């Protein structure tokens, strides 16, 4: 599977100098990214493209080829796949569309490709996909990428790997990470997933440097395979699935040729396999950061801290509604809290009045997280003064000290949140709902892990 | 009630030149905003503050006073209220805290104030509140506002009026409107609402230039009054209420001294009175724009448009899950759609391939909105080219032509959404969930209106 992300030599079949040629955008982006391996192109004239040597057929290429990227019209794709097989290429990315998502003829072509691939022992992505992106080694075979568009992913690679069934969703994820503290590790678009599917990729991401695995799925073809694979995985697996309703399923079908799935069965499979189901597209890029720096939440008891009174009540509601519990402090904890500063409330939610001391925040958070009646912290500090941000910068250390997570939300306009998050590299969520959800999901994953290792984990 | 928002003369009682004096921040912000009326201060030394003439007692002020703003310690507040009564002042904003939210003694003081006010026929806001902000005439008696902080509200007043029980939530709303197309008209913080409450203010906002009334409530003291008032109102009333759970209610109690409310009863009252209950704090500032420019949604049938395939399925799920329906197009509509451009899908959701023509978008939206099988549009255009934004700029006109709304979401990172929204003054929502919700809420309000006028409105 690694050849899809780290090929030593690549051919782009269907890359030419014609105007609007999509294959040429791939040659171009690979050049731009400084791809170090051999890069060939194949087109009807056998012409060079963007400095890559051109051939009329893969069979004419002198050296070995690890990966072929195919962007020819659908009708010639079966012949191209056969030539790749004869050339000894064992990994293909078939980006061409107009296969099973487009009707009977496309379906027949897709089956033909599949049969041919089996004959040669070829593994392939697609058809009707974008292929792969590997931020760490600056490899990308997505078509249509303009040089510069995704610089930030490649300059600041992250820990989250994605399997997506839509380029549009991939672009939204990459765009959104510009203002976040984590980023994409690898991303793969599987399109109609005739061969390689989400389960194969989860398996692969389980063995590489990925920390969180996220999936955007429009359908599941082999539910049992996904279930059995996910059961073995220890890394968090987060899934947003379209087609929860009949109408959604129908719409997805015209996009990536899925089948109507029974969502109740999928839900139950996720629950068995410890897969976290996401509730919105944005959770695909906002929630993973809860797993990259913070300890897991081992119980349900949440302490709330705020210096903006209303958010105590707001988050208490959200915590209870999401199935977590408001922690009940011991007298000892309350006594420690009283000693820190003038607090409006020393019971949970802790409500701090105006203070200028960074250490006050730290003392309060230490008192809360050290309590054996608390499993995690929902922190809602209004950052009206710089000392508050400076205090938040030390919160992760306190969390690690007590092996408990904090989810942070600052009750400020979104552009302020984005600015502070990126400037200070803090895992700040964008709403109280999102922060509460992050704690919920952290705990859900912790419980799944417990089931997977077959014993109760320490609480 | 208008005197709270448009007073001809004001006294700030408890405004002095002492360091950290909160009353002085009010004198200061009123000067900064260029308050045109008479502005006096009262303090123990009788000293002038920020150029406003100072007295030792309101009784010494030579002229009439419309509104007194009180920031003295709680224990002297009853005597101050009495003096105001004797002076003939009939409108007070009691911003001082430490009343019923702080225990028995505070509760007694609050009752004393209340009795005294009744004796003189005084109406008052608070105690434990911020008072009022009127963006249109640049009046603001919130304490703690630094000059410049809220310039955008006063420079670009809007159509949404707020009743809030928390200054923190008010600040979040004002901050968030910096990057939106609508803005605050009036905002009033009611704190412990011993006298003037949310119902009084809804009534007042029903008669002024407000277009949408939004409430953030931590408790409801007089449910029947709220219900009866809301029933009379034709403007949309949107409410976020804390205390939906026992824990949330308990937390709110320490903030603004409410009582535990039964949320089931509140829910049923809202439904009877046509009040829209909001699901998140952010809906307080994101949803109102659906009511300021777009026609109401008269039925449940939604058409989806996208040029980014995945979002067809994503939104179809959301529409069905929110209780709306995916519209089913007639053959005639499909024929019109086919004539516009190469579409990946002419059934609902409409999926447009790459196109460079602004007119294509307009033709498609016209075909959709003119259909008598469609009640509203959920538009998810990826704005990868400037022509798309230019097309969106004409969408509101098409909506008005057919008297049907569109909710717009662009599948881009949030900072891009904010930038396009403000630059082109477009009602763009921040997520597909929010856009779907906007249509739902629009239809909910339309149905409530129908019940209120006692007959079915045209569908």
């Amino acid at each position: 599977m690694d050849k899809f992300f780290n090929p030593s030599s690549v051919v782009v079949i269907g890359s030419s100098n014609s105007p609007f040629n999509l294959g040429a955008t791939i040659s171009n982006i690979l050049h731009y990214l400084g791809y170090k391996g051999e890069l060939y192109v194949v087109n009807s004239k056998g012409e060079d493209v963007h400095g890559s040597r051109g051939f009329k057929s893969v069979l004419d290429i002198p050296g070995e080829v690890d990966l072929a990227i195919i962007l020819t019209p659908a009708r010639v794709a079966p012949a191209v796949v056969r030539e790749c097989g004869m050339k000894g290429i064992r990994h293909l990315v078939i980006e061409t569309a107009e296969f099973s998502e487009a009707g009977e003829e496309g379906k027949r072509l897709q089956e033909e490709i599949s049969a041919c691939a089996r004959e040669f022992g070829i593994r392939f992505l697609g058809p009707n996909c974008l292929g792969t992106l590997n931020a760490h080694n600056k490899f990308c075979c997505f078509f249509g990428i303009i040089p510069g568009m995704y610089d930030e992913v490649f300059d600041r690679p992250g820990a989250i790997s994605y399997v997506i069934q839509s380029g549009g969703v991939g672009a939204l994820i990459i765009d959104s990470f510009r203002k976040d503290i984590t980023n994409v590790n690898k991303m793969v678009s599987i399109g109609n997933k005739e061969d390689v599917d989400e389960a194969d990729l989860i398996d692969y991401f389980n063995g590489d440097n990925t920390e969180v695995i996220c999936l955007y799925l429009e359908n599941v073809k082999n539910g049992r395979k996904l279930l059995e694979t996910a059961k073995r995985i220890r890394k968090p697996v987060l899934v947003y699935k379209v087609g929860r309703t009949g109408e959604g399923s129908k719409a997805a079908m015209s996009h990536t040729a899925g089948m109507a799935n029974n969502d109740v069965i999928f839900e139950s499979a996720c629950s068995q396999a410890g897969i976290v189901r996401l509730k919105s597209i944005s959770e695909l890029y906002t929630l993973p950061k809860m797993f990259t720096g913070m300890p897991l939440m081992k119980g349900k008891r949440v302490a709330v801290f705020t210096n903006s009174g209303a958010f105590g009540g707001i988050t208490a509601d959200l915590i209870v509604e999401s199935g977590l519990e408001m922690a009940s402090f011991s007298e000892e904890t309350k006594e420690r809290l009283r000693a820190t500063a003038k607090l409006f409330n020393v019971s949970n939610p802790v409500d701090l009045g105006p203070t200028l001391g960074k250490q006050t925040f730290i003392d309060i958070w230490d008192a809360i997280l050290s309590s054996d009646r608390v499993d995690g912290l929902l922190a809602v500090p209004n950052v009206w003064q710089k000392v508050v941000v400076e205090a938040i910068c030390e919160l992760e250390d306190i969390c690690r000290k007590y092996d408990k997570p904090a989810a942070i939300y600052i009750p400020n306009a979104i552009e302020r949140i984005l600015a502070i998050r990126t400037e200070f590299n803090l895992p700040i969520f964008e709403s109280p709902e999102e922060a509460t959800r992050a704690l919920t999901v952290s705990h859900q994953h912790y419980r799944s892990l417990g089931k997977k290792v077959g014993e109760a984990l320490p609480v």
Side-chain angles (χ1 to χ4, degrees), chain A residues 249 387 398 412 424:
Chain A
S249 187
V387 290
I398 308 174
N412 293 90
F424 297 92

Side-chain angles (χ1 to χ4, degrees), chain A residues 160 162 172-177 179-183 212 214 238 240 278-292 407-408 414 417-418 421 426-431 433-439 441:
Chain A
I160 329 294
Y162 287 89
L172 176 59
I173 291 166
I174 289 172
D175 258 11
S176 298
F177 274 128
K179 296 283 180 188
D180 211 329
I181 62 162
T182 51
N183 213 331
V212 188
C214 293
L238 317 180
Y240 185 86
L278 300 179
K279 297 189 172 177
S280 71
I281 280 291
S282 63
E283 290 191 346
L284 280 168
Y285 44 89
T286 58
L287 286 185
K289 59 179 165 286
M290 193 64 188
F291 294 103
T292 55
I408 309 162
I414 182 71
I417 293 176
L418 301 181
R421 182 162 78 190
L426 294 168
I428 301 176
F429 294 96
E430 297 173 20
S431 68
E433 290 79 13
E434 197 178 287
T436 308
R437 177 86 172 125
L439 291 173
V441 162

Side-chain angles (χ1 to χ4, degrees), chain A residues 67 186 344:
Chain A
L67 179 69
K186 298 189 176 77
F344 292 135

Side-chain angles (χ1 to χ4, degrees), chain A residues 184-293:
Chain A
V184 173
N185 179 332
K186 298 189 176 77
M187 181 178 276
V188 51
S189 144
I190 53 178
N192 298 1
K193 53 181 178 182
E194 175 66 23
D195 176 27
V196 175
D197 67 9
E198 59 277 9
D200 298 318
L201 290 156
I202 291 176
D203 224 7
Y204 169 69
F205 292 145
N206 195 43
D208 75 353
N209 58 342
T210 296
E211 291 177 37
V212 188
I213 302 167
C214 293
L215 288 79
Y216 166 80
L217 297 179
E218 302 205 332
N219 55 68
V220 175
K221 286 182 177 167
N222 191 337
R224 182 153 303 276
K225 182 177 166 193
L226 175 60
L227 180 68
E228 294 307 323
T229 306
K231 274 186 180 168
R232 286 198 311 274
I233 309 299
R234 297 287 175 275
K235 296 177 182 178
V237 179
L238 317 180
V239 178
Y240 185 86
K241 186 177 161 297
V242 169
R244 299 183 300 277
T245 67
E247 293 284 357
S249 187
K250 209 171 78 185
M253 225 176 299
S254 71
H255 187 231
T256 45
M259 297 158 54
N261 296 124
N262 185 326
D263 198 67
V264 178
I265 294 175
F266 184 70
E267 176 68 34
S268 135
C270 286
S271 155
Q272 279 182 60
I275 294 173
V276 174
R277 272 196 92 169
L278 300 179
K279 297 189 172 177
S280 71
I281 280 291
S282 63
E283 290 191 346
L284 280 168
Y285 44 89
T286 58
L287 286 185
K289 59 179 165 286
M290 193 64 188
F291 294 103
T292 55

